[in-house]
Every structure is written in structure tokens, then in C-alpha cells.
Amino acid sequence: MRKYTPFAFYFLFYVAQAAYMPYLVLYFQSLQFNGPQIGVLTSLSPLLMMLGMPLWTGVADATHRHRLIMSTGILVAIGVGLLMPHSTTFLAVLLLVIVFSLFGAPVSSFADSATMTMLGERKELYGRLRLGGTFGWGIASLVFGTLIEENGLKLAFYIFAAGNLLVLLVSQLLTYPRNVSGNSILSGARRLLTSRRYVIFLLMALVSGIGLSSANYYLFPYMAELNATKSMMGLAQTIATISELPVLLFSNRLLKRLKPHGMLVLGMAFTVLRLLLYAAIRTPQAVLVSQLMNGLTYALIWVAGVSYADQSAPPGMSASGQGLFGATIFGIGAAIGSFAGSLLLEALGGRGMFGAVGLFMLVSLGVLLVLEKRCTRDG
């Protein structure tokens, strides 16, 4: 297996993401968009991803056109990166968000499906290949924070476009599942959703998406409330990324010991703790310390989810399984978290928002574990 190809892909993909995702809300704020407008933009994107991910991954599994569809999504991302700095009205930005969310959404799901395919019988090593993304995000965050502070937020989008051009080149070397599912998109989705345990898994992914999106979208605005510089924001990203290294490096051992379900529950519990810590923080320096928990939240949840989706997907439906998981955590979950977060941020401030989301996750996790226990008991 050309194991360094997925590693290189994740590295470049997250280099590009590090120049885009953390600065998006700050760019919206620089255009003087109000809270509801920002809430629409940040929640609409994951809602459209909820449609785009299962749609395009399902089409790819049904037609075996994984590379073509993935390449199209990356080209759309490049176009959005070039056009966004010149889009200053709400309508123009809204149009770009819609196009990017619909067509660029499934790129990461295709990459995860290809990586699992290329791993063959060593799927538990996924986390080690995903380390490429961790290195890319961490290095880029440290560099980009200073560059963007000196040259302005528009530079972030040009870096995003350039990074995706490299992503497009490396993506041509990925290998996808050879067998075609033979199922239509709708029948494939129904087949995946017949298991009650799988449905509960998706509900856990949804709740995780709500919690993770609040940190992804609103940590930097909260740090701005605490008078942090953009260089400090970049440092916060780097610390968070470094914290993922041991989790991803030893994820194969964690999977053997805890199984995907146990890892997911553990990641959710640490996410609750992380959000409540944000709510108690009063200085930007304390935020930097709390970022050490990122590996125990995002990394645990993502590896667990990708592994569970791969195990549960019927033959020929690997991309569909990853797309459904991605649509749930970064589609529905992120949409709810980002929209509710924008309203809570405006009404309560960053501290109140993180506290409310943390308590919501705590209650939801308890309810879902009770439901899962009943499903297991009832057979």
C-alpha cells in the first residue's frame, strides 16, 4: 500500500483548512454582518453538507466515479477561495457558501473511504495516517496566524485556494473501493439505517457535531472577547493540533481496547469537560492551556466515527457509510451548533454559550446511553 499518499493528502488538506475554517466568522464580522446573518451562513453550510455528503458519496458508490466527483469538489473549493475575498455583500457570500457546501462537502469522506480501502486488513492504523492532517493543521496554524495578522483576513482565502490545488494533485493517487454496491442512493441509506444501534451511533455523532462546531466556529470570536491577538489564536490552534498526536499515534491500541463505541463515548465525555472549561476561563492564556484537550475530543470522536462507519457499511458502500457519518456530525450537528451558537454568543457571550452547549451535551449523552442500553436489552 502506498501509505504515504493518504498521509500527504491529509497533510495538505488540513493545511488548506487551517487557512479557512478558523477565520471564516472573523471575516463575516469584518464585513459587518450581524449575529443572525452569521448564524445563517454558519448553519446553512453544514445543512447543505448534510445533503451533499450522502448524495455525492452515494452516487460515487453506485457509479464508481469516486475520483471524478472528488476532484470536482476540490475544484469548487479552489474557486470559492479565489472569489471569497472579492465578495463583500451578504448575498454574494451566501451564494459562495451554498456552492462550496453542496459540492465540496464530500472530499473528506472520499479520503477516509480511500484510506480505509488502501489499509486493507490494517484498518486500525487509520489514525496514524490521519496524523498527516494533524501535522498540516498545526504547522499551518502557527505560520498563518502571523501572516494573516500582518496582511489581513483576505489572505486566508488565497492560501486556501493554493492549498487545495496541491490537494487536487495528490488526490489523483488515492485508491477507492473496486466493487460497486449495486444499490440506489436511497436504498443504500435505508440499508444502513435499519440497525437501531447504528441510529443511536448517528445520534451520538449529531450531538458531538453540536459540541465540536461551537468550538470550531466560535473559539476565535471568544478569544477576541478576551483580547487575544490573531497570533495567539494561531498558537491556540497549534497547541490543539499537537495534542492530537499521541491520540492518533496510539489510536490502534485504543480501538483494540475500547472499540469504536467506547472511544466515541469517551470523546464525547471529554468534549463536555472541554466546553465547561471554556465557560470557566477568563484569560486567553487559559484558553491555550485548555487546548491541550483537543486530542481527547475531536481526534477520539473522529477516529471512532470513521472506524464505526467502516465496520457498519455493507460491501460496496464504504463511501456512503463515511458520507452518512460526515453528514450527521458536520451536517446536521454542525448546523444546529453553529446557528444556536451564534445566537447564544450574541445573547450570553462566549462564556455563557460554551456553558450552555456543554450542559446540553452532558444531558444528551446520558439519555443516549440509556436508550442504547434498552436497545441492547430488547435485542
Side-chain angles (χ1 to χ4, degrees), residues 20 76-85 154 157-158 160-161:
Y20 178 82
V76 168
I78 294 172
V80 168
L82 294 175
L83 293 173
M84 187 69 80
K154 291 184 177 182
F157 300 104
Y158 293 124
F160 176 70

Side-chain angles (χ1 to χ4, degrees), residues 364-379:
S364 298
L365 177 58
V367 171
L368 288 171
L369 288 176
V370 170
L371 289 175
E372 185 177 54
K373 187 175 181 179
R374 289 187 177 183
C375 288
T376 303
R377 184 180 59 197
D378 297 339

Side-chain angles (χ1 to χ4, degrees), residues 176-195:
Y176 303 92
R178 296 179 181 273
N179 52 328
V180 180
S181 67
N183 294 306
S184 68
I185 299 173
L186 291 178
S187 66
R190 284 196 298 267
R191 187 175 177 184
L192 286 168
L193 295 173
T194 53
S195 168

Side-chain angles (χ1 to χ4, degrees), residues 80-366:
V80 168
L82 294 175
L83 293 173
M84 187 69 80
H86 305 285
S87 304
T88 57
T89 66
F90 178 73
L91 184 60
V93 172
L94 178 65
L95 180 61
L96 289 178
V97 167
I98 290 173
V99 172
F100 175 66
S101 302
L102 279 175
F103 294 95
V107 171
S108 61
S109 295
F110 282 127
D112 290 334
S113 175
T115 300
M116 286 298 194
T117 299
M118 297 172 76
L119 280 169
E121 299 300 320
R122 302 298 307 278
K123 297 182 187 297
E124 73 277 4
L125 297 179
Y126 166 82
R128 295 190 177 183
L129 296 183
R130 177 56 181 74
L131 273 172
T134 299
F135 285 124
W137 183 279
I139 295 171
S141 297
L142 193 59
V143 175
F144 295 166
T146 301
L147 287 176
I148 293 169
E149 185 170 28
E150 293 176 351
N151 298 281
L153 288 168
K154 291 184 177 182
L155 178 64
F157 300 104
Y158 293 124
I159 296 174
F160 176 70
N164 271 292
L165 179 60
L166 298 176
V167 169
L168 178 64
L169 297 176
V170 174
S171 70
Q172 306 308 302
L173 303 176
L174 294 175
T175 301
Y176 303 92
R178 296 179 181 273
N179 52 328
V180 180
S181 67
N183 294 306
S184 68
I185 299 173
L186 291 178
S187 66
R190 284 196 298 267
R191 187 175 177 184
L192 286 168
L193 295 173
T194 53
S195 168
R196 286 182 294 177
R197 286 181 63 87
Y198 190 77
V199 171
I200 291 177
F201 156 70
L202 290 179
L203 289 174
M204 287 183 173
L206 185 150
V207 173
S208 299
I210 292 173
L212 293 174
S213 67
S214 66
N216 290 338
Y217 282 110
Y218 300 115
L219 179 61
F220 279 15
Y222 179 42
M223 291 185 70
E225 286 182 18
L226 299 175
N227 299 315
T229 64
K230 289 184 176 61
S231 297
M232 188 173 287
M233 294 176 191
L235 180 59
Q237 278 188 279
T238 301
I239 293 173
T241 305
I242 292 173
S243 73
E244 294 180 6
L245 295 177
V247 175
L248 293 174
L249 186 61
F250 298 106
S251 61
N252 58 321
R253 298 184 182 181
L254 291 171
L255 279 170
K256 288 181 180 179
R257 180 178 294 272
L258 300 174
K259 307 302 180 187
H261 176 268
M263 281 184 66
L264 179 60
V265 172
L266 186 62
M268 292 180 70
F270 276 118
T271 302
V272 170
L273 179 58
R274 182 184 182 187
L275 293 173
L276 294 180
L277 280 175
Y278 283 154
I281 281 170
R282 298 188 180 276
T283 66
Q285 291 77 15
V287 173
L288 297 181
V289 176
S290 70
Q291 289 296 87
L292 292 170
M293 291 191 64
N294 186 63
L296 297 172
T297 57
Y298 173 77
L300 275 181
I301 290 172
W302 188 251
V303 172
V306 168
S307 300
Y308 196 103
D310 183 74
Q311 287 181 3
S312 305
M317 296 183 64
S318 173
S320 297
Q322 298 300 339
L324 191 57
F325 165 64
T328 303
I329 188 170
F330 291 126
I332 309 173
I336 297 172
S338 59
F339 186 74
S342 70
L343 300 181
L344 289 170
L345 184 68
E346 192 168 53
L348 305 175
R351 186 173 295 112
M353 179 205 67
F354 284 124
V357 177
L359 291 175
F360 166 78
M361 275 199 72
L362 179 62
V363 173
S364 298
L365 177 58

